[in-house]
Amino acid sequence: MTMYSSRAEVPLEEKWNLDDLYSDLAQWEEDYRQIEEMAGKLKELDGKIQDGSSLYQYLKLREELSFQFGKLYAFAMLKVDEDTRETTSQSYLDRAKQLSVKVSAATSFFMPYLLSLEEETLKGYIAGEEGLSYFEEDLWESFRYKPHVLNRDQEAVLSQLGEALSVPGNTFGMINNADISFGEVTNDQGEKIKLTRGMYAKLIEDEDRKKRREAYKAYYQPYLQLKNTIASTLAGAIKNNVTMARIRQYPSALEKALFGDNVPKEVYDNLISTTKENIATMHRYTEIRKQKLQLDELRQYDLSVPLVSGVKPEISYEEAYDIMCKALAPLGEEYLAILKEFKKGRYLDVRETEGKRSGAYNLGVYGVHPYILLNHQDDLDSLFTLVHECGHGVHSWLSSKHQPQISARYSIFVAEVASTVNEVLLINYLLNNEQDEDVRKHLINHFIDQFKGTFFTQVMFAEFEKKTHEMAEKGQPLNVDVFNRTYEQLFREYNGDEVVFDEEVKYGWSRIPHFYRPFYVYKYATGYASAIHLATKILEGDKETLTSYLEFLKSGSADYPLELLKKTGVDLTSPEPIQNALKKFSQLVEEFSRI
């Protein structure tokens, strides 16, 4: 595996090219000054928007500011992520964040102003000012919130509560990231050392069951110790969601959360009920896991260990890029040409070096191009990460090219579709071209476990959120016992009777940060199911699906997410896409049990 001790050693072609954003820091400073100036002009328009012309003037200036700020902020963030220890880069990012606060303050008057207008007044403004036709859809989208906005004085009071309402989430964040101290595990030298999150992710997949059990117990130790405190933060977050939904006159906290994407409650309910109706294959996989590991008792710390051991093919970055292009060939020439441009134009930052931000992401910058951060390790996981992030990258690239700035950003609801379609095409290509039986087994096992984590686990979390919010809406108490009982029952329903429960299982709710961002996780599952549905059709050679899928990638947020997906043949208001995805899971488990 290629290792570099410093960023300077990494070949130029494996480092992203930030000159496409700013080749000269003096230009960054000039943009900073201009954005400050524009923010001042926007603030001056408070109380002065009285007709279509002044409304257009405000919106046009705000979009110009948004374009420049996007570039400025992206540059500062990407510079920090190259080396998080670099203080000069940190100071640029700090300044960009301060500028963001100034911009927010300067534009905070606009939404209350817009929603104070009568519908007829806004129609008159739009009819009288030609330039507003560009902003029309966006204006009416904002106007959709009018029934849920209070009068000016009440909104002023609510805005002052913002910080207080975020306390439960912030408190959990501090507990979970700063204060938590895991138990000890034994290292290879036989010494006791403190467990870290990074170590836990590796140890829970270790072939040595004693190591897995020890890591599992050490990992859950602080959550059990802090159970009452964390239950209090979670109950607070849930009650806040319920209270805000009532104040804003939504039928429920769930419907408030779904409102932004214009998703009916039935989509959420349909996801849960269709998954539960088809849960038998998941239970079957749990049984196969028990047999394959040759265990008398299957426990929670046995559910993540790969079932095929010793498979670690080395795949260089060059080779990985080549495999990706071959695997994604079914998406057509235009798609492959974009991927080649990503590499040639140095949109990717490939290698892990000291101080570099960990993980991987795609950042689309409108008017420039996407930037992709990797920490490539020359292994199979890195190949999957490359393919995943390039899925997001091409989605950003196509949406930016084919959409005006106002509708170029796509919703989180559809984001995972593009990345997962790529992963399904990759796994299909690898299985078709792999002769080694152990590698084939490993690939199928990888796909099944990924399916389990991205789909089944998220649906289980989604149901936990729904149940606990409904309890709060009925005025029922929320505490450790209630959370434990609810989580334990769901874990049993989703994983089957083969799992023997340790005390820790029922505390699974206490470690999930997503629960402080209400009704968010279901999007992973709907996105994943949509992608499986689409990739399967594309692999079957369905030309209509391929054409509509490429159109979808060019659509940004030109329509609501459900409508964009419907144009590709995926209707999430019906059980069909979920059933098709679960059928694919069933086939994978069947094939794995055969081989």
Side-chain angles (χ1 to χ4, degrees), residues 214-231:
E214 187 182 39
Y216 175 76
K217 296 284 179 188
Y219 180 71
Y220 270 92
Q221 185 184 308
Y223 293 107
L224 267 68
Q225 285 168 347
L226 296 163
K227 61 189 177 188
N228 290 301
T229 307
I230 297 175

Side-chain angles (χ1 to χ4, degrees), residues 266-326:
E266 290 69 33
V267 168
Y268 199 94
D269 294 339
N270 168 49
L271 171 69
I272 293 170
S273 60
T274 310
T275 304
K276 297 282 275 282
E277 284 159 19
N278 294 274
I279 203 75
T281 313
M282 182 65 195
H283 297 174
R284 166 94 180 99
Y285 178 57
T286 310
E287 287 165 18
I288 292 168
R289 179 168 276 283
K290 183 181 173 184
Q291 291 160 13
K292 182 86 177 109
L293 293 172
Q294 299 176 326
L295 296 171
D296 295 332
E297 288 182 342
L298 185 75
R299 294 184 178 262
Q300 192 180 7
Y301 48 80
D302 301 317
L303 298 180
S304 300
V305 59
L307 297 179
V308 184
S309 57
V311 180
K312 292 206 170 155
E314 187 161 312
I315 305 163
S316 71
Y317 174 64
E318 287 295 323
E319 199 184 342
Y321 218 93
D322 188 43
I323 291 169
M324 170 170 71
C325 290
K326 287 175 180 163

Side-chain angles (χ1 to χ4, degrees), residues 446-466:
H446 173 95
F447 196 4
I448 290 171
D449 282 342
Q450 187 206 42
F451 205 124
K452 187 184 150 193
T454 316
F455 186 83
F456 287 101
T457 302
Q458 306 309 324
V459 178
M460 180 179 81
F461 288 168
E463 190 171 0
F464 177 82
E465 285 189 279
K466 186 170 183 283

Side-chain angles (χ1 to χ4, degrees), residues 1 36 57 61 67 78 167 247 361 369 393 403 431 447 464 487 493 498 502 504 508-509 513 524 550 566:
M1 190 174 86
E36 274 190 316
Q57 190 191 341
L61 183 59
F67 175 73
L78 296 168
V167 166
I247 289 172
Y361 64 69
H369 57 69
Q403 293 296 322
L431 285 170
F447 196 4
F464 177 82
Y487 193 87
E493 286 174 21
E498 287 295 338
D502 288 82
E504 288 82 358
W509 57 269
Y524 290 121
L550 293 173
K566 268 183 193 167

Side-chain angles (χ1 to χ4, degrees), residues 362-373:
N362 160 70
L363 177 72
V365 186
Y366 187 80
V368 187
H369 57 69
Y371 281 92
I372 293 172
L373 178 129

Side-chain angles (χ1 to χ4, degrees), residues 337-385:
I338 296 165
L339 287 178
K340 284 168 186 161
E341 175 53 34
F342 277 20
K343 192 160 180 270
K344 188 171 147 230
R346 290 172 42 214
Y347 299 0
L348 301 101
D349 205 77
V350 180
R351 296 293 170 184
E352 182 178 30
T353 49
E354 211 176 321
K356 183 177 170 180
R357 177 176 160 160
S358 61
Y361 64 69
N362 160 70
L363 177 72
V365 186
Y366 187 80
V368 187
H369 57 69
Y371 281 92
I372 293 172
L373 178 129
L374 302 169
N375 281 279
H376 198 84
Q377 302 291 337
D378 294 346
D379 59 14
L380 192 64
D381 279 347
S382 292
L383 167 61
F384 272 94
T385 302

